């Protein structure tokens, strides 16, 4: 609304966007993509640092709670979501003007799914970068059964990130499945996973 009032009576933000043309949208998209990548690297640094501090191979105690590292990741994602909603509309709560702008952006980038239109898409791309890094770390590690179960609990806590869409990127739910599958393959013993009720109880504690 502030943008519209600054533009003058009868001129909407969507009208202004159309007048700026595709070149403005393309440069804005490049900036948003770079921002998503940078945020993803920051999340990956937090997740990766905490991952490397855990003795997954020699862990001998059953998990009792979600690791502090994963709690930090979730807290950072929440902060990123708050910041991003100041830049872009939300898919669920966008006003009429914001929806018009979003639709114009979609048309200008060709509707290919490669652009970032909503806040959830930007956060989703950042999360995809972080999870890609986590998959690589898991594939290079080995796990005891207890270590596997701790990672399973951490992955369960991250399932909420699946609400963020990422355009053409692999869905977060699929990437989290890959994290756990990789850990199972790298388990030094017969992989034994926690049952869902136990996961729910530990993750809510």
């Amino acid at each position: 609304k502030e943008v519209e009032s600054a533009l003058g009576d009868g001129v909407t933000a969507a009208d202004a966007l159309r007048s700026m043309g595709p070149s403005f949208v393309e440069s804005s998209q490049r900036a948003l993509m770079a921002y998503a990548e940078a945020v993803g690297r920051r999340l990956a640094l937090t997740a990766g640092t905490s991952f490397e501090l855990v003795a997954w191979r020699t862990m001998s105690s059953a998990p009792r709670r979600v690791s502090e590292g994963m709690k930090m990741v979730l807290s950072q994602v929440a902060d990123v979501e708050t910041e991003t909603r100041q830049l872009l509309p939300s898919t669920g709560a966008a006003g009429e003007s914001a929806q018009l702008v979003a639709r114009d952006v979609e048309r200008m980038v060709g509707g290919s799914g490669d652009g970032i239109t909503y806040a959830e898409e930007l956060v989703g791309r950042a999360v995809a970068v972080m999870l890609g890094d986590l998959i690589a770390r898991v594939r290079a590690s080995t796990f005891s059964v207890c270590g596997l179960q701790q990672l399973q609990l951490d992955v369960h806590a991250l399932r909420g990130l699946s609400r963020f869409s990422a355009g053409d990127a692999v869905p977060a739910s699929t990437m989290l499945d890959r994290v756990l599958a990789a850990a199972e393959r790298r388990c030094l013993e017969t992989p034994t996973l926690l049952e869902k009720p136990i996961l729910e109880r530990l993750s809510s504690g």
Side-chain angles (χ1 to χ4, degrees):
K1 292 182 179 179
E2 293 178 358
V3 173
E4 292 177 10
S5 62
L7 292 172
D9 293 337
V11 181
T12 67
D15 293 330
L17 182 60
R18 295 187 194 99
S19 69
M20 292 174 184
S23 60
F24 172 79
V25 174
E26 289 171 5
S27 61
S28 298
Q29 285 294 309
R30 286 194 296 271
L32 289 171
M33 291 288 192
Y35 177 67
E37 179 74 18
V39 170
R41 293 299 173 194
R42 190 175 73 203
L43 293 174
L45 179 62
T46 299
T49 300
S50 63
F51 180 87
E52 298 299 335
L53 291 175
V54 178
W56 302 104
R57 179 172 181 167
T58 58
M59 187 177 293
S60 58
S61 298
R64 297 180 178 179
R65 63 185 66 85
V66 176
S67 68
E68 292 301 317
M70 289 304 132
K71 290 180 181 179
M72 288 177 60
V73 169
L74 290 171
S75 177
Q76 284 190 0
V77 171
D79 291 342
V80 170
E81 183 179 8
T82 300
E83 294 171 4
T84 304
R85 289 186 188 279
Q86 298 175 13
L87 300 173
L88 296 167
S90 168
T91 55
E96 181 179 355
S97 177
Q99 290 175 350
L100 287 173
V101 173
R103 284 197 292 269
D104 277 348
V105 171
E106 289 173 345
R107 284 194 292 269
M108 288 182 177
V109 298
S112 62
D114 296 333
I116 295 176
T117 307
Y118 295 103
E120 290 84 356
E121 293 171 340
L122 193 153
V123 179
R125 287 182 181 276
V127 167
V129 171
M130 182 268 290
L131 292 178
D133 181 81
L134 183 59
I135 290 171
R137 291 178 186 275
V138 170
R139 288 173 175 170
S141 303
T142 50
F143 298 80
S144 66
V145 169
C146 290
L148 170 63
Q149 291 175 347
Q150 178 65 60
L151 187 66
Q152 180 194 10
L153 178 59
D154 290 345
V155 165
H156 183 75
L158 295 178
R159 291 288 179 186
L161 300 181
S162 299
R163 72 183 186 277
F164 298 113
S165 62
D168 58 344
V170 178
S173 58
T174 300
M175 299 188 78
L176 288 168
D177 289 341
R178 292 176 182 177
V179 170
L180 188 57
E184 287 186 76
R185 288 192 295 270
R186 299 292 293 172
C187 187
L188 297 173
E189 309 161 71
T190 302
T192 304
L193 297 176
L194 297 171
E195 295 181 356
K196 188 173 181 179
I198 297 177
L199 286 174
E200 296 289 351
R201 176 172 56 82
L202 293 177
S203 61
S204 62

